[in-house]
Amino acid sequence: MSILPRIRFIINPVSGTRSRVDVAARIKLYLDSTTHDHDIVYTDYAGHATELAQAAANDNYKIVVAVGGDGTVNEVAKGLLHTNTALGILPKGSGNGLARHLQLPLNLDSAIKALNTGQVSQIDSGTINDIPFFTTAGIGFDAYISSVFAGNKRRGLKTYVELVLKEVRNYKHLPVKVWINDQELATDCFVMAFANAAQYGNNAYIAPLADIRDGLLDVCLVRQLDFVKAINLSYCMLTKQLANLQSAEYFKTINVKVETEEPMMFHADGEYKGKTDRFEVKMNPQSLRVIIPS
């Protein structure tokens, strides 16, 4: 029986971007077989990646690699929370938010090679109503866009921006109550983003100052948004700048509670999760081990 450390690759066969590349063949070609044993499994249904990752962690795998988009990464990471097994990523999605934040190679072959020499680091994670997220969660307009984007056949940043500019005129802000840093805030809310990492994906930075290892949640509150403010906010997101105070406000905290007068949509890592009128967002410091370039 081999005593080499083991890596499990979990492949989502229907990831965010279409590709004819034989991932299994590329893994065999570029993964160093003298330092690691590996196996490859495929997901069959929503949530399957979490089950496969949990099973690998229970069986003392050193690394479990998510092969797919942000949804696959989220599912695999959920299965590895608070374990000694590290998350690796071969990004094959349209946004690749966590991979970009960790500065992982986006090229498949380079990402496989990086596993050979990568090092383990620990990062924070968050929960929104007990649902884990690793980059961002949010309520309001960005959750609405996530629900629309999920049903769109075209992917990528261009499609996302087109949807934002198309839908921003019709989406209305709603009154909410927010408890943040021991203060109560009654405000309008067009969108409230909760950021562990700096970006949504596609290098769209909703919270440029977010640090994935500081144990803090970066909150971006947009009270109201017209077309002019939407252009300003979009420009700042794409240039990694903080928006002006007329467009957005930023907070750092460890948890947030929100109550809304009517149910609002919410998302976790870009995946639409439904509607509710009560939200609790928390940070879980140093809760996930990840493989980063050495």
Side-chain angles (χ1 to χ4, degrees), residues 123-172:
I123 65 170
D124 306 330
S125 66
T127 58
I128 179 167
N129 290 358
D130 296 324
I131 299 172
F133 67 91
F134 303 91
T135 53
T136 63
I139 65 175
F141 183 65
D142 63 349
Y144 170 70
I145 290 296
S146 293
S147 71
V148 176
F149 191 65
N152 198 302
K153 293 182 179 180
R154 294 188 300 129
R155 312 299 286 176
L157 180 59
K158 182 174 182 291
T159 301
Y160 189 87
V161 171
E162 287 174 353
L163 281 173
V164 168
L165 296 179
K166 176 184 176 184
E167 301 290 343
V168 69
R169 297 175 185 271
N170 302 318
Y171 191 88
K172 304 301 181 186

Side-chain angles (χ1 to χ4, degrees), residues 23-215:
V23 178
R26 308 307 287 184
I27 292 170
K28 185 176 181 180
L29 183 62
Y30 290 115
L31 188 70
D32 186 351
S33 61
T34 67
T35 58
H36 291 91
D37 280 339
H38 78 275
D39 60 40
I40 298 174
V41 294
Y42 296 84
T43 59
D44 294 327
Y45 49 83
H48 194 197
T50 301
E51 297 171 10
L52 294 169
Q54 286 174 332
N58 291 338
D59 203 19
N60 297 314
Y61 277 71
K62 180 182 179 182
I63 302 168
V64 175
V65 181
V67 185
D70 292 331
T72 304
V73 171
N74 177 283
E75 284 198 11
V76 172
K78 281 193 291 190
L80 302 179
L81 279 170
H82 307 292
T83 73
N84 290 323
T85 301
L87 169 73
I89 303 174
L90 299 186
K92 284 177 61 63
S94 58
N96 302 314
L98 186 57
R100 290 178 189 271
H101 187 96
L102 296 175
Q103 299 183 318
L104 304 180
L106 299 183
N107 172 269
L108 177 63
D109 294 350
S110 298
I112 296 169
K113 292 175 184 176
L115 292 172
N116 294 323
T117 56
Q119 62 186 31
V120 176
S121 178
Q122 287 191 276
I123 65 170
D124 306 330
S125 66
T127 58
I128 179 167
N129 290 358
D130 296 324
I131 299 172
F133 67 91
F134 303 91
T135 53
T136 63
I139 65 175
F141 183 65
D142 63 349
Y144 170 70
I145 290 296
S146 293
S147 71
V148 176
F149 191 65
N152 198 302
K153 293 182 179 180
R154 294 188 300 129
R155 312 299 286 176
L157 180 59
K158 182 174 182 291
T159 301
Y160 189 87
V161 171
E162 287 174 353
L163 281 173
V164 168
L165 296 179
K166 176 184 176 184
E167 301 290 343
V168 69
R169 297 175 185 271
N170 302 318
Y171 191 88
K172 304 301 181 186
H173 58 268
L174 294 171
V176 301
K177 286 185 178 180
V178 183
W179 287 265
I180 186 168
N181 292 328
D182 297 321
Q183 294 185 336
E184 181 179 336
L185 177 66
T187 180
D188 291 331
C189 176
F190 190 90
V191 60
M192 190 177 298
F194 311 104
N196 181 40
Q199 62 168 285
Y200 286 127
N202 283 310
N203 290 326
Y205 291 87
I206 188 61
L209 300 182
D211 181 344
I212 207 165
R213 297 177 179 86
D214 65 358

